[in-house]
Amino acid sequence: MSATELERAVTEILIDEETLQRRIAELGEEVSADYAGRDLLLVGVLKGAVFFMSDLMRRLTIPCEIDFMAISSYGAATDSSGVVRILKDLDINIEGRDVLVVEDIIDSGLTLSYLMRNLEARDPASLEICALMTKPERREIDVPVRYVGFEIPNRFVIGYGLDFGERYRNLPYVGVLDPALVAPDSA
């Protein structure tokens, strides 16, 4: 896929690279202050949160560990299916640990609600969420999010880890996907 093809997939840049990095630096300061002197474990939700988690972790001034979970609820569609499956579980035991779930985007809240119930049952010392983006108007289940990078409108976004059919994650900004690229049977 050429650079021109990537750019044509985007109808609007919602959050540019500089704005993303500035807000991630602020989140890093907040998390570092809140977890000073504690044993922090970042849990990244694959695949979308990898970019955000990497940049956030580099902004932390406290020791921390990382682990990953892969959960599926979207497939190739642009709306959550409501069906959640754990594709990759944690390698680290979180019992008694301070856990910060790092998520790229919160849409309906269904997937994250399931994930939080699953992790809470493992008896962590604390369990919080840090989300790069949230779409409040799409929320079906209220999930308490301690750290929010950006509240965005109900648009399908790609870039900076967010994909459509596993493509466009490599864009350095968050853009709105051209609706013409979404096949009628996948929406």
Short mmCIF file of all heavy atoms in Angstrom, two decimals, residues 63-119:
data_model
loop_
_atom_site.label_atom_id
_atom_site.label_comp_id
_atom_site.label_asym_id
_atom_site.label_seq_id
_atom_site.Cartn_x
_atom_site.Cartn_y
_atom_site.Cartn_z
N PRO A 63 9.32 2.93 37.97
CA PRO A 63 9.51 1.57 37.46
C PRO A 63 8.15 0.92 37.18
O PRO A 63 7.18 1.17 37.89
CB PRO A 63 10.21 0.84 38.61
CG PRO A 63 10.67 1.91 39.55
CD PRO A 63 9.79 3.10 39.33
N CYS A 64 8.10 0.12 36.14
CA CYS A 64 6.87 -0.60 35.84
C CYS A 64 7.20 -1.84 35.02
O CYS A 64 8.29 -1.97 34.49
CB CYS A 64 5.87 0.29 35.10
SG CYS A 64 6.47 0.90 33.52
N GLU A 65 6.24 -2.72 34.96
CA GLU A 65 6.32 -3.92 34.13
C GLU A 65 5.19 -3.86 33.12
O GLU A 65 4.22 -3.10 33.30
CB GLU A 65 6.17 -5.18 34.97
CG GLU A 65 7.29 -5.44 35.94
CD GLU A 65 7.03 -6.70 36.75
OE1 GLU A 65 6.85 -7.78 36.16
OE2 GLU A 65 6.98 -6.58 37.99
N ILE A 66 5.30 -4.67 32.08
CA ILE A 66 4.24 -4.72 31.09
C ILE A 66 3.84 -6.17 30.82
O ILE A 66 4.62 -7.09 30.99
CB ILE A 66 4.62 -4.05 29.75
CG1 ILE A 66 5.80 -4.75 29.09
CG2 ILE A 66 4.88 -2.58 29.95
CD1 ILE A 66 6.09 -4.29 27.67
N ASP A 67 2.60 -6.32 30.41
CA ASP A 67 2.09 -7.59 29.91
C ASP A 67 0.99 -7.25 28.91
O ASP A 67 0.58 -6.09 28.82
CB ASP A 67 1.56 -8.46 31.05
CG ASP A 67 1.52 -9.95 30.69
OD1 ASP A 67 1.74 -10.30 29.50
OD2 ASP A 67 1.27 -10.77 31.59
N PHE A 68 0.54 -8.24 28.20
CA PHE A 68 -0.45 -8.00 27.15
C PHE A 68 -1.56 -9.03 27.20
O PHE A 68 -1.36 -10.17 27.59
CB PHE A 68 0.20 -8.08 25.76
CG PHE A 68 1.20 -6.99 25.51
CD1 PHE A 68 2.55 -7.20 25.77
CD2 PHE A 68 0.80 -5.76 25.03
CE1 PHE A 68 3.47 -6.20 25.55
CE2 PHE A 68 1.71 -4.75 24.82
CZ PHE A 68 3.06 -4.97 25.07
N MET A 69 -2.74 -8.57 26.79
CA MET A 69 -3.87 -9.46 26.54
C MET A 69 -4.37 -9.16 25.14
O MET A 69 -4.30 -8.01 24.69
CB MET A 69 -5.02 -9.21 27.52
CG MET A 69 -4.73 -9.69 28.91
SD MET A 69 -6.19 -9.55 29.97
CE MET A 69 -7.08 -11.06 29.53
N ALA A 70 -4.84 -10.17 24.47
CA ALA A 70 -5.49 -9.98 23.18
C ALA A 70 -6.93 -10.44 23.34
O ALA A 70 -7.19 -11.56 23.78
CB ALA A 70 -4.79 -10.77 22.08
N ILE A 71 -7.83 -9.53 23.03
CA ILE A 71 -9.25 -9.85 23.08
C ILE A 71 -9.87 -9.46 21.76
O ILE A 71 -9.39 -8.54 21.09
CB ILE A 71 -9.96 -9.17 24.27
CG1 ILE A 71 -9.70 -7.67 24.28
CG2 ILE A 71 -9.53 -9.79 25.57
CD1 ILE A 71 -10.34 -6.94 25.44
N SER A 72 -10.91 -10.14 21.40
CA SER A 72 -11.53 -9.89 20.11
C SER A 72 -13.01 -9.60 20.29
O SER A 72 -13.71 -10.32 20.99
CB SER A 72 -11.37 -11.11 19.20
OG SER A 72 -12.09 -10.93 18.01
N SER A 73 -13.45 -8.52 19.63
CA SER A 73 -14.89 -8.25 19.61
C SER A 73 -15.30 -7.55 18.32
O SER A 73 -16.46 -7.31 18.11
CB SER A 73 -15.30 -7.39 20.80
OG SER A 73 -14.72 -6.11 20.69
N TYR A 74 -14.35 -7.24 17.45
CA TYR A 74 -14.68 -6.48 16.25
C TYR A 74 -14.62 -7.29 14.97
O TYR A 74 -15.50 -7.20 14.15
CB TYR A 74 -13.73 -5.28 16.10
CG TYR A 74 -14.16 -4.09 16.90
CD1 TYR A 74 -13.81 -3.98 18.22
CD2 TYR A 74 -14.92 -3.09 16.34
CE1 TYR A 74 -14.19 -2.89 18.97
CE2 TYR A 74 -15.31 -1.99 17.08
CZ TYR A 74 -14.94 -1.89 18.39
OH TYR A 74 -15.32 -0.81 19.12
N GLY A 75 -13.54 -8.03 14.75
CA GLY A 75 -13.34 -8.65 13.44
C GLY A 75 -13.08 -7.55 12.44
O GLY A 75 -12.40 -6.59 12.72
N ALA A 76 -13.68 -7.62 11.26
CA ALA A 76 -13.47 -6.62 10.22
C ALA A 76 -14.55 -5.55 10.22
O ALA A 76 -14.50 -4.61 9.46
CB ALA A 76 -13.43 -7.30 8.85
N ALA A 77 -15.53 -5.70 11.08
CA ALA A 77 -16.65 -4.75 11.08
C ALA A 77 -16.27 -3.44 11.78
O ALA A 77 -15.30 -3.37 12.50
CB ALA A 77 -17.86 -5.37 11.78
N THR A 78 -17.06 -2.42 11.56
CA THR A 78 -16.81 -1.12 12.18
C THR A 78 -17.61 -0.94 13.46
O THR A 78 -17.48 0.07 14.12
CB THR A 78 -17.14 0.03 11.20
OG1 THR A 78 -18.51 -0.08 10.80
CG2 THR A 78 -16.25 -0.01 9.99
N ASP A 79 -18.44 -1.87 13.84
CA ASP A 79 -19.18 -1.83 15.10
C ASP A 79 -18.84 -3.07 15.91
O ASP A 79 -18.65 -4.14 15.36
CB ASP A 79 -20.70 -1.81 14.85
CG ASP A 79 -21.21 -0.41 14.61
OD1 ASP A 79 -20.76 0.51 15.30
OD2 ASP A 79 -22.06 -0.26 13.71
N SER A 80 -18.80 -2.91 17.22
CA SER A 80 -18.49 -4.04 18.10
C SER A 80 -19.57 -5.10 17.96
O SER A 80 -20.75 -4.79 17.91
CB SER A 80 -18.42 -3.56 19.55
OG SER A 80 -18.20 -4.65 20.39
N SER A 81 -19.14 -6.35 17.92
CA SER A 81 -20.09 -7.46 17.79
C SER A 81 -20.78 -7.77 19.11
O SER A 81 -21.80 -8.44 19.13
CB SER A 81 -19.35 -8.70 17.30
OG SER A 81 -18.40 -9.12 18.27
N GLY A 82 -20.18 -7.32 20.23
CA GLY A 82 -20.73 -7.64 21.54
C GLY A 82 -20.28 -8.99 22.05
O GLY A 82 -20.50 -9.34 23.19
N VAL A 83 -19.61 -9.78 21.21
CA VAL A 83 -19.08 -11.07 21.60
C VAL A 83 -17.59 -10.89 21.87
O VAL A 83 -16.85 -10.41 21.02
CB VAL A 83 -19.29 -12.12 20.48
CG1 VAL A 83 -18.65 -13.44 20.86
CG2 VAL A 83 -20.77 -12.29 20.20
N VAL A 84 -17.15 -11.27 23.07
CA VAL A 84 -15.76 -11.06 23.47
C VAL A 84 -15.07 -12.40 23.67
O VAL A 84 -15.63 -13.29 24.31
CB VAL A 84 -15.69 -10.23 24.77
CG1 VAL A 84 -14.25 -10.00 25.19
CG2 VAL A 84 -16.43 -8.91 24.62
N ARG A 85 -13.88 -12.53 23.12
CA ARG A 85 -13.08 -13.73 23.32
C ARG A 85 -11.68 -13.31 23.75
O ARG A 85 -11.13 -12.35 23.20
CB ARG A 85 -12.97 -14.54 22.03
CG ARG A 85 -14.27 -15.15 21.55
CD ARG A 85 -14.08 -16.00 20.30
NE ARG A 85 -13.33 -15.28 19.28
CZ ARG A 85 -12.34 -15.81 18.56
NH1 ARG A 85 -11.97 -17.04 18.74
NH2 ARG A 85 -11.73 -15.10 17.64
N ILE A 86 -11.08 -14.04 24.70
CA ILE A 86 -9.68 -13.81 25.06
C ILE A 86 -8.84 -14.67 24.12
O ILE A 86 -8.95 -15.89 24.11
CB ILE A 86 -9.40 -14.17 26.53
CG1 ILE A 86 -10.16 -13.20 27.45
CG2 ILE A 86 -7.90 -14.13 26.82
CD1 ILE A 86 -10.00 -13.49 28.92
N LEU A 87 -8.01 -14.01 23.33
CA LEU A 87 -7.15 -14.71 22.38
C LEU A 87 -5.76 -14.96 22.96
O LEU A 87 -5.10 -15.92 22.60
CB LEU A 87 -7.02 -13.89 21.10
CG LEU A 87 -8.33 -13.51 20.40
CD1 LEU A 87 -8.06 -12.61 19.21
CD2 LEU A 87 -9.08 -14.76 19.97
N LYS A 88 -5.30 -14.06 23.85
CA LYS A 88 -4.03 -14.21 24.54
C LYS A 88 -4.22 -13.68 25.95
O LYS A 88 -4.63 -12.55 26.15
CB LYS A 88 -2.92 -13.42 23.85
CG LYS A 88 -1.54 -13.64 24.49
CD LYS A 88 -0.81 -12.35 24.72
CE LYS A 88 0.47 -12.52 25.50
NZ LYS A 88 0.32 -12.67 26.93
N ASP A 89 -3.93 -14.51 26.93
CA ASP A 89 -4.09 -14.11 28.32
C ASP A 89 -2.75 -13.59 28.86
O ASP A 89 -1.70 -13.70 28.21
CB ASP A 89 -4.57 -15.29 29.17
CG ASP A 89 -5.37 -14.85 30.39
OD1 ASP A 89 -5.23 -13.68 30.80
OD2 ASP A 89 -6.10 -15.69 30.94
N LEU A 90 -2.80 -13.04 30.07
CA LEU A 90 -1.61 -12.51 30.73
C LEU A 90 -0.62 -13.63 31.05
O LEU A 90 -1.02 -14.76 31.34
CB LEU A 90 -2.00 -11.80 32.02
CG LEU A 90 -2.86 -10.56 31.88
CD1 LEU A 90 -3.31 -10.08 33.26
CD2 LEU A 90 -2.11 -9.47 31.14
N ASP A 91 0.66 -13.27 31.05
CA ASP A 91 1.70 -14.20 31.49
C ASP A 91 2.01 -13.99 32.97
O ASP A 91 2.51 -14.88 33.63
CB ASP A 91 2.98 -13.97 30.67
CG ASP A 91 2.79 -14.30 29.21
OD1 ASP A 91 2.05 -15.26 28.89
OD2 ASP A 91 3.37 -13.60 28.35
N ILE A 92 1.72 -12.80 33.48
CA ILE A 92 2.03 -12.42 34.86
C ILE A 92 0.80 -12.58 35.75
O ILE A 92 -0.30 -12.22 35.35
CB ILE A 92 2.52 -10.95 34.89
CG1 ILE A 92 3.82 -10.80 34.11
CG2 ILE A 92 2.70 -10.46 36.33
CD1 ILE A 92 4.30 -9.36 33.96
N ASN A 93 1.02 -13.08 36.96
CA ASN A 93 -0.04 -13.17 37.96
C ASN A 93 -0.26 -11.76 38.51
O ASN A 93 0.68 -11.12 38.98
CB ASN A 93 0.40 -14.12 39.08
CG ASN A 93 -0.63 -14.25 40.18
OD1 ASN A 93 -1.66 -13.57 40.20
ND2 ASN A 93 -0.36 -15.15 41.12
N ILE A 94 -1.49 -11.25 38.47
CA ILE A 94 -1.76 -9.88 38.90
C ILE A 94 -2.28 -9.79 40.33
O ILE A 94 -2.56 -8.70 40.82
CB ILE A 94 -2.73 -9.15 37.94
CG1 ILE A 94 -4.12 -9.80 37.97
CG2 ILE A 94 -2.14 -9.10 36.53
CD1 ILE A 94 -5.18 -8.97 37.25
N GLU A 95 -2.38 -10.90 41.02
CA GLU A 95 -2.87 -10.87 42.40
C GLU A 95 -1.99 -9.95 43.25
O GLU A 95 -0.76 -10.07 43.25
CB GLU A 95 -2.88 -12.27 43.00
CG GLU A 95 -3.46 -12.32 44.40
CD GLU A 95 -3.54 -13.73 44.96
OE1 GLU A 95 -3.44 -14.70 44.19
OE2 GLU A 95 -3.70 -13.84 46.18
N GLY A 96 -2.64 -8.99 43.92
CA GLY A 96 -1.92 -8.06 44.78
C GLY A 96 -1.15 -6.97 44.06
O GLY A 96 -0.44 -6.19 44.69
N ARG A 97 -1.28 -6.88 42.74
CA ARG A 97 -0.54 -5.90 41.94
C ARG A 97 -1.41 -4.69 41.63
O ARG A 97 -2.64 -4.78 41.57
CB ARG A 97 -0.11 -6.51 40.59
CG ARG A 97 0.83 -7.70 40.65
CD ARG A 97 2.23 -7.35 41.10
NE ARG A 97 2.87 -6.33 40.29
CZ ARG A 97 3.64 -6.58 39.23
NH1 ARG A 97 3.87 -7.82 38.83
NH2 ARG A 97 4.19 -5.58 38.56
N ASP A 98 -0.77 -3.54 41.43
CA ASP A 98 -1.44 -2.35 40.93
C ASP A 98 -1.43 -2.46 39.41
O ASP A 98 -0.35 -2.43 38.80
CB ASP A 98 -0.73 -1.08 41.39
CG ASP A 98 -0.89 -0.86 42.88
OD1 ASP A 98 -2.05 -0.78 43.32
OD2 ASP A 98 0.13 -0.76 43.60
N VAL A 99 -2.60 -2.59 38.82
CA VAL A 99 -2.73 -2.85 37.39
C VAL A 99 -3.38 -1.66 36.70
O VAL A 99 -4.43 -1.17 37.14
CB VAL A 99 -3.57 -4.13 37.14
CG1 VAL A 99 -3.77 -4.36 35.64
CG2 VAL A 99 -2.91 -5.34 37.79
N LEU A 100 -2.76 -1.22 35.62
CA LEU A 100 -3.31 -0.16 34.79
C LEU A 100 -3.52 -0.75 33.39
O LEU A 100 -2.56 -1.09 32.71
CB LEU A 100 -2.37 1.04 34.73
CG LEU A 100 -2.88 2.24 33.92
CD1 LEU A 100 -4.17 2.81 34.52
CD2 LEU A 100 -1.79 3.32 33.83
N VAL A 101 -4.78 -0.90 33.02
CA VAL A 101 -5.12 -1.41 31.68
C VAL A 101 -4.97 -0.25 30.70
O VAL A 101 -5.55 0.81 30.89
CB VAL A 101 -6.56 -1.97 31.66
CG1 VAL A 101 -6.95 -2.36 30.24
CG2 VAL A 101 -6.68 -3.16 32.61
N VAL A 102 -4.18 -0.47 29.66
CA VAL A 102 -3.93 0.54 28.65
C VAL A 102 -4.69 0.14 27.38
O VAL A 102 -4.43 -0.91 26.80
CB VAL A 102 -2.42 0.69 28.37
CG1 VAL A 102 -2.17 1.76 27.31
CG2 VAL A 102 -1.68 1.03 29.67
N GLU A 103 -5.62 1.01 27.00
CA GLU A 103 -6.52 0.72 25.88
C GLU A 103 -6.41 1.84 24.85
O GLU A 103 -6.22 3.00 25.21
CB GLU A 103 -7.94 0.58 26.43
CG GLU A 103 -9.02 0.30 25.43
CD GLU A 103 -8.92 -1.06 24.77
OE1 GLU A 103 -8.01 -1.24 23.94
OE2 GLU A 103 -9.77 -1.93 25.04
N ASP A 104 -6.57 1.48 23.58
CA ASP A 104 -6.51 2.50 22.53
C ASP A 104 -7.79 3.32 22.48
O ASP A 104 -7.76 4.55 22.48
CB ASP A 104 -6.18 1.89 21.17
CG ASP A 104 -7.12 0.76 20.75
OD1 ASP A 104 -8.02 0.37 21.54
OD2 ASP A 104 -6.95 0.24 19.64
N ILE A 105 -8.94 2.65 22.46
CA ILE A 105 -10.21 3.37 22.31
C ILE A 105 -11.32 2.62 23.03
O ILE A 105 -11.35 1.39 23.03
CB ILE A 105 -10.55 3.58 20.82
CG1 ILE A 105 -11.72 4.54 20.66
CG2 ILE A 105 -10.78 2.27 20.10
CD1 ILE A 105 -11.88 5.06 19.24
N ILE A 106 -12.20 3.37 23.66
CA ILE A 106 -13.38 2.78 24.29
C ILE A 106 -14.59 3.26 23.51
O ILE A 106 -14.82 4.46 23.38
CB ILE A 106 -13.51 3.19 25.77
CG1 ILE A 106 -12.25 2.78 26.53
CG2 ILE A 106 -14.75 2.53 26.38
CD1 ILE A 106 -12.21 3.30 27.95
N ASP A 107 -15.33 2.30 23.00
CA ASP A 107 -16.49 2.58 22.16
C ASP A 107 -17.74 2.28 22.98
O ASP A 107 -18.16 3.08 23.80
CB ASP A 107 -16.38 1.72 20.90
CG ASP A 107 -17.25 2.18 19.77
OD1 ASP A 107 -18.30 2.79 20.02
OD2 ASP A 107 -16.91 1.90 18.61
N SER A 108 -18.33 1.13 22.81
CA SER A 108 -19.56 0.77 23.54
C SER A 108 -19.29 0.50 25.02
O SER A 108 -20.18 0.63 25.84
CB SER A 108 -20.21 -0.46 22.91
OG SER A 108 -19.40 -1.60 23.12
N GLY A 109 -18.08 0.09 25.34
CA GLY A 109 -17.74 -0.30 26.70
C GLY A 109 -17.94 -1.78 26.97
O GLY A 109 -17.54 -2.28 28.02
N LEU A 110 -18.55 -2.51 26.04
CA LEU A 110 -18.84 -3.93 26.25
C LEU A 110 -17.57 -4.75 26.43
O LEU A 110 -17.46 -5.54 27.36
CB LEU A 110 -19.66 -4.47 25.07
CG LEU A 110 -21.06 -3.91 24.90
CD1 LEU A 110 -21.65 -4.32 23.56
CD2 LEU A 110 -21.96 -4.37 26.04
N THR A 111 -16.61 -4.57 25.55
CA THR A 111 -15.37 -5.35 25.61
C THR A 111 -14.61 -5.04 26.89
O THR A 111 -14.18 -5.94 27.61
CB THR A 111 -14.49 -5.04 24.38
OG1 THR A 111 -15.23 -5.34 23.20
CG2 THR A 111 -13.22 -5.87 24.40
N LEU A 112 -14.46 -3.76 27.18
CA LEU A 112 -13.69 -3.36 28.35
C LEU A 112 -14.38 -3.78 29.65
O LEU A 112 -13.72 -4.18 30.61
CB LEU A 112 -13.44 -1.86 28.32
CG LEU A 112 -12.35 -1.35 29.23
CD1 LEU A 112 -11.03 -2.09 29.02
CD2 LEU A 112 -12.15 0.13 29.02
N SER A 113 -15.69 -3.72 29.70
CA SER A 113 -16.43 -4.16 30.87
C SER A 113 -16.16 -5.64 31.14
O SER A 113 -15.90 -6.05 32.28
CB SER A 113 -17.93 -3.92 30.66
OG SER A 113 -18.66 -4.46 31.73
N TYR A 114 -16.19 -6.45 30.10
CA TYR A 114 -15.88 -7.88 30.22
C TYR A 114 -14.46 -8.07 30.73
O TYR A 114 -14.21 -8.84 31.66
CB TYR A 114 -16.06 -8.58 28.87
CG TYR A 114 -15.53 -9.99 28.87
CD1 TYR A 114 -16.32 -11.04 29.32
CD2 TYR A 114 -14.24 -10.26 28.45
CE1 TYR A 114 -15.82 -12.34 29.35
CE2 TYR A 114 -13.73 -11.55 28.48
CZ TYR A 114 -14.53 -12.59 28.93
OH TYR A 114 -14.03 -13.86 28.97
N LEU A 115 -13.51 -7.34 30.13
CA LEU A 115 -12.11 -7.48 30.50
C LEU A 115 -11.90 -7.08 31.96
O LEU A 115 -11.20 -7.78 32.71
CB LEU A 115 -11.23 -6.62 29.59
CG LEU A 115 -9.75 -6.61 29.92
CD1 LEU A 115 -9.15 -8.00 29.77
CD2 LEU A 115 -9.02 -5.61 29.03
N MET A 116 -12.50 -5.99 32.40
CA MET A 116 -12.32 -5.53 33.77
C MET A 116 -12.90 -6.53 34.78
O MET A 116 -12.30 -6.77 35.83
CB MET A 116 -12.93 -4.14 33.95
CG MET A 116 -12.23 -3.05 33.13
SD MET A 116 -10.46 -2.91 33.45
CE MET A 116 -10.52 -2.00 35.00
N ARG A 117 -14.04 -7.11 34.47
CA ARG A 117 -14.61 -8.14 35.36
C ARG A 117 -13.67 -9.34 35.45
O ARG A 117 -13.44 -9.90 36.52
CB ARG A 117 -15.98 -8.59 34.86
CG ARG A 117 -17.10 -7.61 35.15
CD ARG A 117 -18.48 -8.19 34.90
NE ARG A 117 -18.62 -8.95 33.67
CZ ARG A 117 -18.95 -8.43 32.49
NH1 ARG A 117 -19.21 -7.14 32.38
NH2 ARG A 117 -19.06 -9.20 31.42
N ASN A 118 -13.11 -9.73 34.31
CA ASN A 118 -12.19 -10.85 34.26
C ASN A 118 -10.95 -10.57 35.11
O ASN A 118 -10.52 -11.42 35.89
CB ASN A 118 -11.80 -11.12 32.79
CG ASN A 118 -10.88 -12.29 32.63
OD1 ASN A 118 -9.73 -12.25 33.06
ND2 ASN A 118 -11.37 -13.34 31.99
N LEU A 119 -10.39 -9.37 34.98
CA LEU A 119 -9.17 -9.03 35.73
C LEU A 119 -9.47 -8.82 37.22
O LEU A 119 -8.66 -9.20 38.07
CB LEU A 119 -8.52 -7.78 35.13
CG LEU A 119 -7.94 -7.95 33.72
CD1 LEU A 119 -7.41 -6.62 33.20
CD2 LEU A 119 -6.88 -9.04 33.68
#
